[in-house]
Amino acid sequence: MDERALVLGGGGSAGNAWLIGVVAGLLEGGLDVTDADLVIGTSAGATAAVQVTGASATGLYADILGAEPPPREARSSPDGARARAVPAVDHLERTGRIIAAAQDPADMRRRLGAAALGLEAASDGSGQARWRAVVASRLPSQHWPEGTTLITAVDARTGEPVVFDRHSGVELADAVAASTSSGVAYRIGEDRYIDGGYRRNENADLAAGYARVLVLSPLGGRTRHPLEWGTNLAAQVDELRAGGSRVETILPDSASLDAFGNNLMDPTTRPPAARAGHEQGRAVAGQLEAFWR
């Protein structure tokens, strides 16, 4: 059995900042989780996975705290600076109706993919390059990490889950842009992709076969999918433990939830979310040391 896996789930702009804060806090507490043998990133966690494996978590944390407040017009878009996206409330209502109408996860992914393709067809196509540029600017390097890093997405045409790695022939910025594409379908060559969180928000089950799995879930293991589908984090943890893995999770505490506010996509939440994550990481580092090492 392989050794250690780090799983970073989705959770918008605030969730990305919280993830970085937690990893930086763990490091300050004496625990470096970026030395994992496998790192899995989904949606906001895909960006975080590349960030914390390619740059100092301490530096990334400091950058969040020192960043200039975003322009007012950027605060209403789902991913902070994503001009091509629909307003967050409209997006949640629209996708919520699609999820409610679906019969099972595969049907849901096909429906969401069709909707994303429809949004793409109705757009002028200029958002693709803009979003890629935004994503690329957030990455410490445009090259895939040397270690094993998995970035999740969903094929918009078939609804089938997709996992990108450095052997996939896809540029890193494109893989992350696809994993974070929750509205308009993202184009890579002739293919189209949507957010990897439409499979499972954390996709921790991809760490099957690893002895120790640490999951950081900004959404606290919650899911918008019906619980009977078994896509929630608790179900993923049960699957991993049934396969022989030891699993620990870090979920936002009350201070972190307060920092998130009502809109995880609001970039003004990033500094308080990062601070709360940092405090939480420092607090639990000692408890996780024996597990991780």
Side-chain angles (χ1 to χ4, degrees):
M1 181 174 276
D2 293 314
E3 283 304 312
R4 298 173 300 180
L6 175 66
V7 179
L8 304 178
S13 189
N16 171 268
W18 179 82
L19 289 167
I20 290 171
V22 171
V23 173
L26 289 170
L27 182 60
E28 187 171 320
L31 192 64
D32 183 4
V33 296
T34 66
D35 62 358
D37 303 293
L38 169 69
V39 180
I40 298 169
T42 295
S43 197
T47 309
V50 176
Q51 290 170 321
V52 301
T53 56
S56 161
T58 302
L60 293 167
Y61 173 62
D63 289 344
I64 293 172
L65 299 189
E68 290 291 328
R72 183 174 299 275
E73 62 271 16
R75 299 178 188 180
S76 61
S77 66
D79 292 315
R82 193 173 184 185
R84 64 193 281 254
V86 295
V89 173
D90 293 347
H91 170 73
L92 290 173
E93 290 180 350
R94 179 179 60 83
T95 54
R97 289 193 296 269
I98 294 171
I99 293 168
Q103 297 180 355
D104 54 39
D107 183 41
M108 176 198 68
R109 294 193 300 267
R110 287 191 295 267
R111 289 171 181 258
L112 287 166
L117 291 171
L119 289 175
E120 182 197 26
S123 72
D124 63 7
S126 62
Q128 166 93 16
R130 287 200 302 272
W131 181 233
R132 190 187 192 282
V134 167
V135 169
S137 71
R138 294 171 176 169
L139 307 181
S141 170
Q142 302 306 303
H143 302 290
W144 279 90
E146 286 300 315
T148 304
T149 302
L150 305 183
I151 303 297
T152 65
V154 170
D155 189 309
R157 289 173 169 160
T158 66
E160 289 298 311
V162 176
V163 178
F164 297 116
D165 63 18
R166 61 192 176 103
H167 303 295
S168 299
V170 171
E171 293 187 10
L172 180 61
D174 285 318
V176 176
S179 186
T180 53
S181 190
S182 59
V184 180
Y186 185 81
R187 182 177 68 254
I188 302 178
E190 297 301 314
D191 298 315
R192 304 291 187 274
Y193 299 96
I194 57 174
D195 198 306
Y198 289 134
R199 177 184 181 270
R200 286 177 159 183
N201 184 64
E202 299 83 13
N203 291 300
D205 56 297
L206 295 177
Y210 280 75
R212 289 165 286 167
V213 182
L214 177 62
V215 185
L216 277 58
S217 174
L219 293 184
R222 301 190 308 277
T223 179
R224 297 171 67 202
H225 308 166
L227 288 179
E228 59 266 27
W229 289 359
T231 60
N232 56 311
L233 179 57
Q236 298 171 56
V237 170
D238 287 345
E239 291 172 22
L240 287 168
R241 287 175 175 161
S245 300
R246 295 172 59 199
V247 185
E248 294 288 347
T249 62
I250 302 179
L251 313 179
D253 58 14
S254 59
S256 296
L257 293 175
D258 288 344
F260 291 173
N262 296 321
N263 182 5
L264 286 165
M265 303 301 183
D266 181 355
T268 64
T269 62
R270 288 180 62 76
R275 286 191 194 95
H278 185 262
E279 288 302 310
Q280 200 173 345
R282 283 202 312 172
V284 302
Q287 302 168 30
L288 292 172
E289 184 171 2
F291 162 77
W292 192 251
R293 290 181 175 168

